[in-house]
Amino acid sequence: MLRIGIVLYPGFQLLNLAITSVFEFANITARERLYEFVLLSESGGPTLASSGLEVITRPFDGQTFDTVLVVGDNDVMPATPALTDFLRASASTARRVGATCTGTFNLAQAGLLDDKRVTTHWMHVAKFRREYPRVKLEDDRIFVIDGSIWTSAGATACIDLALALIEKDQGIDLARLVAKKLVVYHRRAGGQSQFSAMLDMEPRSDRIQKALTYAKRNLNTELSVGELASAANLSPRQFSRAFREEIGQTPAKAVEHLRTEAARLMLESGRHPIGTIAKDTGFGDPERMRRAFLRMYGLPPQVIRRERRIAPDALLKT
């Protein structure tokens, strides 16, 4: 049985505790106690979350764990000396040390991340880079693994991190079954963007919004600047200037992002040949789609498909 120490402190973000459900369902699915997770805090006892709910914790008392994870909060509160000491000690005794959301700041404050690749919540990237320039922050990743250091982005990315831990420990089949029972995708690839392409585009004007909506509905066509400008009732020159001002990127780059996201969803939800997906999403050929995937997700389509394969029906009967 592997012991997981989950470190909390006053003001922690409650959503981070979703990781406990992932380990709980690993035990339920395997029908044996693969994991014991222990909620820890500096003094033990009730620990208040940012939402006002209290969680009962055990104190730091010299316990050792296979894995230690420190959770994040809403305001990037500095770690106390006791928390920093505990994380440093854990780095020398635990097989893995990690963080969810802004918990990455606590690991950095403890001096555990210099020259390491990590991620954190996208809202706090600038602050992290200012304070910890020696850390290799990958600011648009769901989770990052660098040796014994595991870190995830904000909010629900902690679930992806926990599923990745289970996959590493117990194998991909169990991780898939746990994800299915939790009614989530089998974990998103660590290299996947923290953002949805469409959600990340927030036009101020109805005209640019119309162009984006038109693009999303017609991804299998060429989608030239002239075509998008016509949908927005603007000249190509006016459209290109307005689009870049409002979206912060060229129409061509925005269309590539929409195509890539649509292709990824097709990869995850079906068994279409990659060539068919490339054609239906407007890439035209698999190589062009592969290059776009590498730019956006850091992984080629084949790898993303392999990580999303549906488990055989026999494995689902638990």
Side-chain angles (χ1 to χ4, degrees):
M1 181 176 64
L2 300 177
R3 301 186 75 227
I4 312 291
I6 301 172
V7 181
L8 313 179
Y9 47 85
F12 75 93
Q13 219 312 309
L14 192 64
L15 185 57
N16 288 270
L17 287 192
I19 55 178
T20 62
S21 293
V22 182
F23 296 123
E24 175 190 7
F25 271 81
N27 292 343
I28 291 170
T29 303
R31 297 179 179 175
E32 63 177 293
R33 201 172 184 193
L34 300 174
Y35 294 98
E36 176 191 15
F37 50 89
V38 181
L39 302 182
L40 303 166
S41 68
E42 182 174 335
S43 302
T47 301
L48 194 66
S50 60
S51 61
L53 294 177
E54 285 186 332
V55 177
I56 302 300
T57 61
R58 300 182 191 177
F60 303 152
D61 59 2
Q63 299 181 72
T64 59
F65 299 89
D66 172 80
T67 303
V68 171
L69 301 172
V70 58
V71 307
D73 63 76
N74 295 333
D75 303 312
V76 195
M77 295 180 288
T80 64
L83 173 54
T84 297
D85 289 344
F86 177 77
L87 293 175
R88 287 172 179 161
S90 297
S92 64
T93 58
R95 179 165 61 103
R96 301 174 295 212
V97 175
T100 66
C101 194
T102 60
T104 305
F105 280 81
N106 294 324
L107 296 183
Q109 186 176 336
L112 303 180
L113 301 184
D114 286 354
D115 299 317
K116 293 288 187 178
R117 296 168 45 251
V118 303
T119 192
T120 191
H121 197 297
W122 63 268
M123 289 177 61
H124 304 291
V125 163
K127 176 180 175 65
F128 190 95
R129 282 210 169 98
R130 285 195 307 271
E131 296 184 0
Y132 303 106
R134 292 187 57 186
V135 181
K136 299 174 182 177
L137 181 67
E138 299 190 4
D139 57 3
D140 192 22
R141 295 291 175 258
I142 296 295
F143 65 88
V144 173
I145 305 166
D146 190 342
S148 62
I149 301 294
W150 295 56
T151 55
S152 70
T156 58
C158 65
I159 296 174
D160 300 282
L161 183 71
L163 287 170
L165 287 164
I166 290 170
E167 182 178 323
K168 178 69 172 178
D169 296 336
Q170 315 295 343
I172 192 169
D173 290 336
L174 181 64
R176 285 183 179 139
L177 292 171
V178 171
K180 183 178 178 67
K181 289 186 176 182
L182 291 171
V183 196
V184 298
Y185 282 122
H186 174 58
R187 70 163 178 81
R188 294 172 287 182
Q192 184 173 324
S193 171
Q194 294 184 32
F195 308 100
S196 161
M198 198 67 181
L199 289 176
D200 199 33
M201 299 175 191
E202 299 181 351
R204 297 189 300 271
S205 68
D206 291 341
R207 289 185 173 186
I208 301 302
Q209 182 62 65
K210 286 180 181 178
L212 285 171
T213 301
Y214 178 87
K216 190 175 182 182
R217 291 174 178 171
N218 296 277
L219 289 176
N220 62 330
T221 67
E222 182 181 350
L223 291 177
S224 65
V225 170
E227 188 178 354
L228 294 173
S230 179
N233 295 315
L234 292 169
S235 71
R237 184 176 179 180
Q238 289 174 316
F239 172 75
S240 295
R241 183 173 64 251
F243 192 95
R244 188 148 197 165
E245 287 176 355
E246 295 188 29
I247 304 301
Q249 56 186 288
T250 65
K253 181 58 68 176
V255 167
E256 180 181 278
H257 286 175
L258 292 174
R259 292 193 202 279
T260 308
E261 187 167 89
R264 176 179 59 80
L265 291 174
M266 289 184 70
L267 279 170
E268 293 175 351
S269 62
R271 299 182 179 275
H272 307 287
I274 286 178
T276 299
I277 295 173
K279 181 179 178 181
D280 288 350
T281 54
F283 283 110
D285 65 83
E287 177 57 26
R288 185 181 169 200
M289 185 171 82
R290 187 188 72 85
R291 292 195 299 268
F293 266 66
L294 289 173
R295 283 191 291 270
M296 189 163 178
Y297 301 127
L299 294 170
Q302 291 86 348
V303 172
I304 291 178
R305 161 160 281 174
R306 189 160 59 243
E307 291 189 344
R308 301 298 190 282
R309 275 193 311 237
I310 300 172
D313 290 343
L315 291 174
L316 300 178
K317 296 175 182 177
T318 61

